PDB file of all heavy atoms in Angstrom:
ATOM      1  N   HIS A   1     188.502  95.931 132.073  1.00  0.00           N
ATOM      2  CA  HIS A   1     188.994  97.224 131.629  1.00  0.00           C
ATOM      3  C   HIS A   1     189.577  97.012 130.243  1.00  0.00           C
ATOM      4  O   HIS A   1     189.939  95.883 129.884  1.00  0.00           O
ATOM      5  CB  HIS A   1     190.059  97.736 132.619  1.00  0.00           C
ATOM      6  CG  HIS A   1     190.584  99.087 132.301  1.00  0.00           C
ATOM      7  ND1 HIS A   1     191.703  99.268 131.529  1.00  0.00           N
ATOM      8  CD2 HIS A   1     190.155 100.324 132.647  1.00  0.00           C
ATOM      9  CE1 HIS A   1     191.942 100.560 131.426  1.00  0.00           C
ATOM     10  NE2 HIS A   1     191.017 101.215 132.085  1.00  0.00           N
ATOM     11  N   GLU A   2     189.716  98.065 129.465  1.00  0.00           N
ATOM     12  CA  GLU A   2     190.221  97.913 128.097  1.00  0.00           C
ATOM     13  C   GLU A   2     191.605  97.271 128.014  1.00  0.00           C
ATOM     14  O   GLU A   2     191.920  96.613 127.029  1.00  0.00           O
ATOM     15  CB  GLU A   2     190.230  99.266 127.386  1.00  0.00           C
ATOM     16  CG  GLU A   2     191.136 100.274 128.066  1.00  0.00           C
ATOM     17  CD  GLU A   2     190.928 101.686 127.574  1.00  0.00           C
ATOM     18  OE1 GLU A   2     189.777 102.041 127.248  1.00  0.00           O
ATOM     19  OE2 GLU A   2     191.916 102.428 127.530  1.00  0.00           O
ATOM     20  N   SER A   3     192.437  97.455 129.044  1.00  0.00           N
ATOM     21  CA  SER A   3     193.786  96.879 128.980  1.00  0.00           C
ATOM     22  C   SER A   3     194.066  95.860 130.075  1.00  0.00           C
ATOM     23  O   SER A   3     195.200  95.434 130.245  1.00  0.00           O
ATOM     24  CB  SER A   3     194.839  97.995 129.047  1.00  0.00           C
ATOM     25  OG  SER A   3     194.761  98.668 130.283  1.00  0.00           O
ATOM     26  N   MET A   4     193.002  95.449 130.811  1.00  0.00           N
ATOM     27  CA  MET A   4     193.223  94.512 131.897  1.00  0.00           C
ATOM     28  C   MET A   4     191.912  93.845 132.313  1.00  0.00           C
ATOM     29  O   MET A   4     190.851  94.454 132.226  1.00  0.00           O
ATOM     30  CB  MET A   4     193.815  95.228 133.109  1.00  0.00           C
ATOM     31  CG  MET A   4     194.160  94.298 134.235  1.00  0.00           C
ATOM     32  SD  MET A   4     194.169  95.070 135.857  1.00  0.00           S
ATOM     33  CE  MET A   4     192.621  95.921 135.924  1.00  0.00           C
ATOM     34  N   MET A   5     192.040  92.603 132.776  1.00  0.00           N
ATOM     35  CA  MET A   5     190.903  91.904 133.350  1.00  0.00           C
ATOM     36  C   MET A   5     191.391  91.183 134.602  1.00  0.00           C
ATOM     37  O   MET A   5     192.502  90.673 134.649  1.00  0.00           O
ATOM     38  CB  MET A   5     190.323  90.897 132.364  1.00  0.00           C
ATOM     39  CG  MET A   5     189.074  90.215 132.890  1.00  0.00           C
ATOM     40  SD  MET A   5     188.228  89.223 131.662  1.00  0.00           S
ATOM     41  CE  MET A   5     189.408  87.928 131.381  1.00  0.00           C
ATOM     42  N   VAL A   6     190.547  91.154 135.632  1.00  0.00           N
ATOM     43  CA  VAL A   6     190.849  90.434 136.868  1.00  0.00           C
ATOM     44  C   VAL A   6     189.719  89.454 137.102  1.00  0.00           C
ATOM     45  O   VAL A   6     188.540  89.820 137.050  1.00  0.00           O
ATOM     46  CB  VAL A   6     190.977  91.392 138.077  1.00  0.00           C
ATOM     47  CG1 VAL A   6     191.264  90.608 139.355  1.00  0.00           C
ATOM     48  CG2 VAL A   6     192.050  92.443 137.834  1.00  0.00           C
ATOM     49  N   SER A   7     190.097  88.208 137.345  1.00  0.00           N
ATOM     50  CA  SER A   7     189.103  87.178 137.662  1.00  0.00           C
ATOM     51  C   SER A   7     189.643  86.357 138.823  1.00  0.00           C
ATOM     52  O   SER A   7     190.808  86.464 139.190  1.00  0.00           O
ATOM     53  CB  SER A   7     188.832  86.300 136.443  1.00  0.00           C
ATOM     54  OG  SER A   7     190.022  85.695 135.988  1.00  0.00           O
ATOM     55  N   TYR A   8     188.756  85.555 139.407  1.00  0.00           N
ATOM     56  CA  TYR A   8     189.213  84.721 140.514  1.00  0.00           C
ATOM     57  C   TYR A   8     188.478  83.395 140.528  1.00  0.00           C
ATOM     58  O   TYR A   8     187.391  83.239 139.973  1.00  0.00           O
ATOM     59  CB  TYR A   8     189.056  85.439 141.861  1.00  0.00           C
ATOM     60  CG  TYR A   8     187.666  85.370 142.449  1.00  0.00           C
ATOM     61  CD1 TYR A   8     187.345  84.424 143.413  1.00  0.00           C
ATOM     62  CD2 TYR A   8     186.662  86.240 142.031  1.00  0.00           C
ATOM     63  CE1 TYR A   8     186.069  84.347 143.954  1.00  0.00           C
ATOM     64  CE2 TYR A   8     185.392  86.178 142.561  1.00  0.00           C
ATOM     65  CZ  TYR A   8     185.097  85.232 143.519  1.00  0.00           C
ATOM     66  OH  TYR A   8     183.836  85.162 144.033  1.00  0.00           O
ATOM     67  N   THR A   9     189.106  82.460 141.193  1.00  0.00           N
ATOM     68  CA  THR A   9     188.528  81.158 141.476  1.00  0.00           C
ATOM     69  C   THR A   9     189.110  80.688 142.798  1.00  0.00           C
ATOM     70  O   THR A   9     190.122  81.229 143.248  1.00  0.00           O
ATOM     71  CB  THR A   9     188.817  80.150 140.341  1.00  0.00           C
ATOM     72  OG1 THR A   9     188.064  78.967 140.548  1.00  0.00           O
ATOM     73  CG2 THR A   9     190.285  79.814 140.261  1.00  0.00           C
ATOM     74  N   VAL A  10     188.492  79.730 143.431  1.00  0.00           N
ATOM     75  CA  VAL A  10     188.997  79.197 144.690  1.00  0.00           C
ATOM     76  C   VAL A  10     189.504  77.782 144.435  1.00  0.00           C
ATOM     77  O   VAL A  10     188.790  76.951 143.874  1.00  0.00           O
ATOM     78  CB  VAL A  10     187.918  79.215 145.791  1.00  0.00           C
ATOM     79  CG1 VAL A  10     188.439  78.582 147.072  1.00  0.00           C
ATOM     80  CG2 VAL A  10     187.449  80.650 146.044  1.00  0.00           C
ATOM     81  N   VAL A  11     190.765  77.542 144.829  1.00  0.00           N
ATOM     82  CA  VAL A  11     191.409  76.248 144.630  1.00  0.00           C
ATOM     83  C   VAL A  11     192.087  75.846 145.935  1.00  0.00           C
ATOM     84  O   VAL A  11     192.962  76.555 146.423  1.00  0.00           O
ATOM     85  CB  VAL A  11     192.462  76.313 143.502  1.00  0.00           C
ATOM     86  CG1 VAL A  11     193.168  74.980 143.333  1.00  0.00           C
ATOM     87  CG2 VAL A  11     191.844  76.781 142.194  1.00  0.00           C
ATOM     88  N   ASN A  12     191.673  74.750 146.521  1.00  0.00           N
ATOM     89  CA  ASN A  12     192.320  74.183 147.703  1.00  0.00           C
ATOM     90  C   ASN A  12     192.437  75.198 148.851  1.00  0.00           C
ATOM     91  O   ASN A  12     193.444  75.243 149.543  1.00  0.00           O
ATOM     92  CB  ASN A  12     193.686  73.600 147.336  1.00  0.00           C
ATOM     93  CG  ASN A  12     194.223  72.651 148.392  1.00  0.00           C
ATOM     94  OD1 ASN A  12     193.473  72.092 149.187  1.00  0.00           O
ATOM     95  ND2 ASN A  12     195.532  72.480 148.416  1.00  0.00           N
ATOM     96  N   GLY A  13     191.431  76.035 149.014  1.00  0.00           N
ATOM     97  CA  GLY A  13     191.439  77.019 150.090  1.00  0.00           C
ATOM     98  C   GLY A  13     192.069  78.350 149.722  1.00  0.00           C
ATOM     99  O   GLY A  13     192.039  79.296 150.502  1.00  0.00           O
ATOM    100  N   TRP A  14     192.661  78.452 148.547  1.00  0.00           N
ATOM    101  CA  TRP A  14     193.282  79.687 148.064  1.00  0.00           C
ATOM    102  C   TRP A  14     192.338  80.404 147.119  1.00  0.00           C
ATOM    103  O   TRP A  14     191.717  79.775 146.266  1.00  0.00           O
ATOM    104  CB  TRP A  14     194.573  79.380 147.303  1.00  0.00           C
ATOM    105  CG  TRP A  14     195.658  78.807 148.133  1.00  0.00           C
ATOM    106  CD1 TRP A  14     195.951  77.481 148.303  1.00  0.00           C
ATOM    107  CD2 TRP A  14     196.599  79.522 148.919  1.00  0.00           C
ATOM    108  NE1 TRP A  14     197.025  77.342 149.142  1.00  0.00           N
ATOM    109  CE2 TRP A  14     197.445  78.579 149.534  1.00  0.00           C
ATOM    110  CE3 TRP A  14     196.817  80.881 149.161  1.00  0.00           C
ATOM    111  CZ2 TRP A  14     198.486  78.946 150.380  1.00  0.00           C
ATOM    112  CZ3 TRP A  14     197.848  81.246 149.991  1.00  0.00           C
ATOM    113  CH2 TRP A  14     198.672  80.287 150.603  1.00  0.00           C
ATOM    114  N   THR A  15     192.266  81.702 147.230  1.00  0.00           N
ATOM    115  CA  THR A  15     191.560  82.515 146.245  1.00  0.00           C
ATOM    116  C   THR A  15     192.603  82.926 145.215  1.00  0.00           C
ATOM    117  O   THR A  15     193.511  83.705 145.512  1.00  0.00           O
ATOM    118  CB  THR A  15     190.927  83.755 146.896  1.00  0.00           C
ATOM    119  OG1 THR A  15     190.025  83.322 147.914  1.00  0.00           O
ATOM    120  CG2 THR A  15     190.188  84.592 145.872  1.00  0.00           C
ATOM    121  N   VAL A  16     192.493  82.339 144.036  1.00  0.00           N
ATOM    122  CA  VAL A  16     193.453  82.607 142.966  1.00  0.00           C
ATOM    123  C   VAL A  16     192.933  83.791 142.159  1.00  0.00           C
ATOM    124  O   VAL A  16     191.897  83.707 141.510  1.00  0.00           O
ATOM    125  CB  VAL A  16     193.652  81.380 142.057  1.00  0.00           C
ATOM    126  CG1 VAL A  16     194.622  81.694 140.925  1.00  0.00           C
ATOM    127  CG2 VAL A  16     194.122  80.189 142.876  1.00  0.00           C
ATOM    128  N   VAL A  17     193.663  84.900 142.229  1.00  0.00           N
ATOM    129  CA  VAL A  17     193.303  86.108 141.506  1.00  0.00           C
ATOM    130  C   VAL A  17     194.190  86.177 140.275  1.00  0.00           C
ATOM    131  O   VAL A  17     195.406  86.338 140.386  1.00  0.00           O
ATOM    132  CB  VAL A  17     193.489  87.367 142.386  1.00  0.00           C
ATOM    133  CG1 VAL A  17     193.190  88.627 141.588  1.00  0.00           C
ATOM    134  CG2 VAL A  17     192.600  87.285 143.623  1.00  0.00           C
ATOM    135  N   GLU A  18     193.573  86.019 139.117  1.00  0.00           N
ATOM    136  CA  GLU A  18     194.309  86.049 137.853  1.00  0.00           C
ATOM    137  C   GLU A  18     194.183  87.441 137.241  1.00  0.00           C
ATOM    138  O   GLU A  18     193.082  87.946 137.057  1.00  0.00           O
ATOM    139  CB  GLU A  18     193.747  85.016 136.886  1.00  0.00           C
ATOM    140  CG  GLU A  18     194.488  84.963 135.568  1.00  0.00           C
ATOM    141  CD  GLU A  18     193.885  83.938 134.641  1.00  0.00           C
ATOM    142  OE1 GLU A  18     194.153  82.728 134.850  1.00  0.00           O
ATOM    143  OE2 GLU A  18     193.138  84.335 133.724  1.00  0.00           O
ATOM    144  N   ILE A  19     195.332  88.025 136.967  1.00  0.00           N
ATOM    145  CA  ILE A  19     195.370  89.342 136.351  1.00  0.00           C
ATOM    146  C   ILE A  19     195.856  89.156 134.922  1.00  0.00           C
ATOM    147  O   ILE A  19     196.892  88.544 134.684  1.00  0.00           O
ATOM    148  CB  ILE A  19     196.305  90.291 137.125  1.00  0.00           C
ATOM    149  CG1 ILE A  19     195.852  90.387 138.586  1.00  0.00           C
ATOM    150  CG2 ILE A  19     196.336  91.668 136.467  1.00  0.00           C
ATOM    151  CD1 ILE A  19     196.838  91.075 139.491  1.00  0.00           C
ATOM    152  N   ASP A  20     195.103  89.689 133.981  1.00  0.00           N
ATOM    153  CA  ASP A  20     195.407  89.544 132.565  1.00  0.00           C
ATOM    154  C   ASP A  20     195.513  90.933 131.951  1.00  0.00           C
ATOM    155  O   ASP A  20     194.525  91.659 131.877  1.00  0.00           O
ATOM    156  CB  ASP A  20     194.298  88.739 131.892  1.00  0.00           C
ATOM    157  CG  ASP A  20     194.597  88.401 130.446  1.00  0.00           C
ATOM    158  OD1 ASP A  20     195.592  88.906 129.886  1.00  0.00           O
ATOM    159  OD2 ASP A  20     193.812  87.626 129.859  1.00  0.00           O
ATOM    160  N   GLY A  21     196.744  91.327 131.580  1.00  0.00           N
ATOM    161  CA  GLY A  21     196.941  92.633 130.952  1.00  0.00           C
ATOM    162  C   GLY A  21     197.951  93.475 131.702  1.00  0.00           C
ATOM    163  O   GLY A  21     198.827  92.958 132.391  1.00  0.00           O
ATOM    164  N   ASP A  22     197.810  94.778 131.566  1.00  0.00           N
ATOM    165  CA  ASP A  22     198.744  95.725 132.169  1.00  0.00           C
ATOM    166  C   ASP A  22     198.335  96.086 133.594  1.00  0.00           C
ATOM    167  O   ASP A  22     197.150  96.323 133.858  1.00  0.00           O
ATOM    168  CB  ASP A  22     198.784  97.029 131.355  1.00  0.00           C
ATOM    169  CG  ASP A  22     199.279  96.827 129.940  1.00  0.00           C
ATOM    170  OD1 ASP A  22     199.867  95.768 129.659  1.00  0.00           O
ATOM    171  OD2 ASP A  22     199.076  97.734 129.116  1.00  0.00           O
ATOM    172  N   VAL A  23     199.321  96.159 134.488  1.00  0.00           N
ATOM    173  CA  VAL A  23     199.093  96.644 135.849  1.00  0.00           C
ATOM    174  C   VAL A  23     199.969  97.883 135.985  1.00  0.00           C
ATOM    175  O   VAL A  23     201.164  97.801 136.206  1.00  0.00           O
ATOM    176  CB  VAL A  23     199.445  95.588 136.917  1.00  0.00           C
ATOM    177  CG1 VAL A  23     199.090  96.109 138.306  1.00  0.00           C
ATOM    178  CG2 VAL A  23     198.722  94.278 136.645  1.00  0.00           C
ATOM    179  N   ASP A  24     199.334  99.028 135.810  1.00  0.00           N
ATOM    180  CA  ASP A  24     200.069 100.286 135.773  1.00  0.00           C
ATOM    181  C   ASP A  24     199.269 101.387 136.470  1.00  0.00           C
ATOM    182  O   ASP A  24     198.302 101.092 137.168  1.00  0.00           O
ATOM    183  CB  ASP A  24     200.397 100.669 134.328  1.00  0.00           C
ATOM    184  CG  ASP A  24     199.164 100.768 133.430  1.00  0.00           C
ATOM    185  OD1 ASP A  24     198.032 100.915 133.940  1.00  0.00           O
ATOM    186  OD2 ASP A  24     199.337 100.698 132.201  1.00  0.00           O
ATOM    187  N   ALA A  25     199.675 102.619 136.261  1.00  0.00           N
ATOM    188  CA  ALA A  25     199.029 103.751 136.932  1.00  0.00           C
ATOM    189  C   ALA A  25     197.531 103.816 136.637  1.00  0.00           C
ATOM    190  O   ALA A  25     196.752 104.252 137.488  1.00  0.00           O
ATOM    191  CB  ALA A  25     199.707 105.057 136.521  1.00  0.00           C
ATOM    192  N   ARG A  26     197.109 103.364 135.465  1.00  0.00           N
ATOM    193  CA  ARG A  26     195.679 103.417 135.121  1.00  0.00           C
ATOM    194  C   ARG A  26     194.872 102.284 135.737  1.00  0.00           C
ATOM    195  O   ARG A  26     193.681 102.429 135.991  1.00  0.00           O
ATOM    196  CB  ARG A  26     195.484 103.371 133.609  1.00  0.00           C
ATOM    197  CG  ARG A  26     195.987 104.591 132.895  1.00  0.00           C
ATOM    198  CD  ARG A  26     195.794 104.506 131.389  1.00  0.00           C
ATOM    199  NE  ARG A  26     196.361 103.257 130.875  1.00  0.00           N
ATOM    200  CZ  ARG A  26     195.760 102.473 129.978  1.00  0.00           C
ATOM    201  NH1 ARG A  26     194.599 102.791 129.489  1.00  0.00           N
ATOM    202  NH2 ARG A  26     196.340 101.364 129.578  1.00  0.00           N
ATOM    203  N   THR A  27     195.498 101.136 135.972  1.00  0.00           N
ATOM    204  CA  THR A  27     194.733  99.952 136.371  1.00  0.00           C
ATOM    205  C   THR A  27     195.029  99.439 137.783  1.00  0.00           C
ATOM    206  O   THR A  27     194.266  98.636 138.308  1.00  0.00           O
ATOM    207  CB  THR A  27     194.988  98.801 135.386  1.00  0.00           C
ATOM    208  OG1 THR A  27     196.389  98.477 135.403  1.00  0.00           O
ATOM    209  CG2 THR A  27     194.554  99.175 133.973  1.00  0.00           C
ATOM    210  N   ALA A  28     196.123  99.887 138.386  1.00  0.00           N
ATOM    211  CA  ALA A  28     196.534  99.346 139.685  1.00  0.00           C
ATOM    212  C   ALA A  28     195.443  99.488 140.742  1.00  0.00           C
ATOM    213  O   ALA A  28     195.197  98.565 141.521  1.00  0.00           O
ATOM    214  CB  ALA A  28     197.828 100.010 140.152  1.00  0.00           C
ATOM    215  N   SER A  29     194.786 100.632 140.775  1.00  0.00           N
ATOM    216  CA  SER A  29     193.743 100.832 141.794  1.00  0.00           C
ATOM    217  C   SER A  29     192.579  99.860 141.601  1.00  0.00           C
ATOM    218  O   SER A  29     191.949  99.448 142.571  1.00  0.00           O
ATOM    219  CB  SER A  29     193.242 102.274 141.785  1.00  0.00           C
ATOM    220  OG  SER A  29     192.626 102.577 140.550  1.00  0.00           O
ATOM    221  N   MET A  30     192.307  99.461 140.366  1.00  0.00           N
ATOM    222  CA  MET A  30     191.231  98.497 140.112  1.00  0.00           C
ATOM    223  C   MET A  30     191.593  97.125 140.681  1.00  0.00           C
ATOM    224  O   MET A  30     190.728  96.427 141.215  1.00  0.00           O
ATOM    225  CB  MET A  30     190.947  98.398 138.619  1.00  0.00           C
ATOM    226  CG  MET A  30     190.289  99.639 138.049  1.00  0.00           C
ATOM    227  SD  MET A  30     189.947  99.430 136.302  1.00  0.00           S
ATOM    228  CE  MET A  30     191.223 100.477 135.618  1.00  0.00           C
ATOM    229  N   VAL A  31     192.861  96.746 140.554  1.00  0.00           N
ATOM    230  CA  VAL A  31     193.317  95.478 141.127  1.00  0.00           C
ATOM    231  C   VAL A  31     193.166  95.531 142.643  1.00  0.00           C
ATOM    232  O   VAL A  31     192.648  94.603 143.268  1.00  0.00           O
ATOM    233  CB  VAL A  31     194.783  95.189 140.724  1.00  0.00           C
ATOM    234  CG1 VAL A  31     195.306  93.964 141.463  1.00  0.00           C
ATOM    235  CG2 VAL A  31     194.903  95.008 139.222  1.00  0.00           C
ATOM    236  N   ARG A  32     193.624  96.628 143.229  1.00  0.00           N
ATOM    237  CA  ARG A  32     193.535  96.801 144.690  1.00  0.00           C
ATOM    238  C   ARG A  32     192.079  96.705 145.160  1.00  0.00           C
ATOM    239  O   ARG A  32     191.768  95.986 146.108  1.00  0.00           O
ATOM    240  CB  ARG A  32     194.132  98.146 145.085  1.00  0.00           C
ATOM    241  CG  ARG A  32     194.132  98.399 146.561  1.00  0.00           C
ATOM    242  CD  ARG A  32     194.758  99.786 146.865  1.00  0.00           C
ATOM    243  NE  ARG A  32     194.504 100.180 148.217  1.00  0.00           N
ATOM    244  CZ  ARG A  32     193.374 100.742 148.651  1.00  0.00           C
ATOM    245  NH1 ARG A  32     192.395 100.994 147.821  1.00  0.00           N
ATOM    246  NH2 ARG A  32     193.228 101.059 149.918  1.00  0.00           N
ATOM    247  N   GLU A  33     191.184  97.412 144.511  1.00  0.00           N
ATOM    248  CA  GLU A  33     189.774  97.404 144.894  1.00  0.00           C
ATOM    249  C   GLU A  33     189.159  96.017 144.743  1.00  0.00           C
ATOM    250  O   GLU A  33     188.337  95.602 145.567  1.00  0.00           O
ATOM    251  CB  GLU A  33     189.005  98.432 144.076  1.00  0.00           C
ATOM    252  CG  GLU A  33     189.365  99.863 144.446  1.00  0.00           C
ATOM    253  CD  GLU A  33     188.824 100.890 143.469  1.00  0.00           C
ATOM    254  OE1 GLU A  33     187.918 100.548 142.670  1.00  0.00           O
ATOM    255  OE2 GLU A  33     189.309 102.036 143.517  1.00  0.00           O
ATOM    256  N   ALA A  34     189.559  95.283 143.707  1.00  0.00           N
ATOM    257  CA  ALA A  34     189.031  93.932 143.499  1.00  0.00           C
ATOM    258  C   ALA A  34     189.442  93.007 144.638  1.00  0.00           C
ATOM    259  O   ALA A  34     188.612  92.248 145.169  1.00  0.00           O
ATOM    260  CB  ALA A  34     189.527  93.380 142.163  1.00  0.00           C
ATOM    261  N   VAL A  35     190.709  93.083 145.044  1.00  0.00           N
ATOM    262  CA  VAL A  35     191.173  92.220 146.134  1.00  0.00           C
ATOM    263  C   VAL A  35     190.538  92.641 147.454  1.00  0.00           C
ATOM    264  O   VAL A  35     190.124  91.789 148.250  1.00  0.00           O
ATOM    265  CB  VAL A  35     192.716  92.211 146.219  1.00  0.00           C
ATOM    266  CG1 VAL A  35     193.190  91.465 147.458  1.00  0.00           C
ATOM    267  CG2 VAL A  35     193.302  91.575 144.958  1.00  0.00           C
ATOM    268  N   ILE A  36     190.405  93.934 147.690  1.00  0.00           N
ATOM    269  CA  ILE A  36     189.744  94.403 148.921  1.00  0.00           C
ATOM    270  C   ILE A  36     188.305  93.902 148.970  1.00  0.00           C
ATOM    271  O   ILE A  36     187.829  93.466 150.028  1.00  0.00           O
ATOM    272  CB  ILE A  36     189.817  95.938 149.025  1.00  0.00           C
ATOM    273  CG1 ILE A  36     191.250  96.361 149.350  1.00  0.00           C
ATOM    274  CG2 ILE A  36     188.845  96.463 150.082  1.00  0.00           C
ATOM    275  CD1 ILE A  36     191.483  97.861 149.268  1.00  0.00           C
ATOM    276  N   LYS A  37     187.632  93.910 147.844  1.00  0.00           N
ATOM    277  CA  LYS A  37     186.259  93.392 147.802  1.00  0.00           C
ATOM    278  C   LYS A  37     186.231  91.915 148.192  1.00  0.00           C
ATOM    279  O   LYS A  37     185.372  91.481 148.961  1.00  0.00           O
ATOM    280  CB  LYS A  37     185.667  93.583 146.403  1.00  0.00           C
ATOM    281  CG  LYS A  37     184.263  93.063 146.274  1.00  0.00           C
ATOM    282  CD  LYS A  37     183.720  93.265 144.877  1.00  0.00           C
ATOM    283  CE  LYS A  37     182.315  92.695 144.829  1.00  0.00           C
ATOM    284  NZ  LYS A  37     181.865  92.396 143.500  1.00  0.00           N
TER     285      LYS A  37
END
């Protein structure tokens, strides 16, 4: 997204979700949908 990026990797059994940027009213639902996926 223009003000945020979400990426992930798996480390030692953990799914590490890295959020880069703003987590606000415009982007929060995108973070939620990414983790649900």
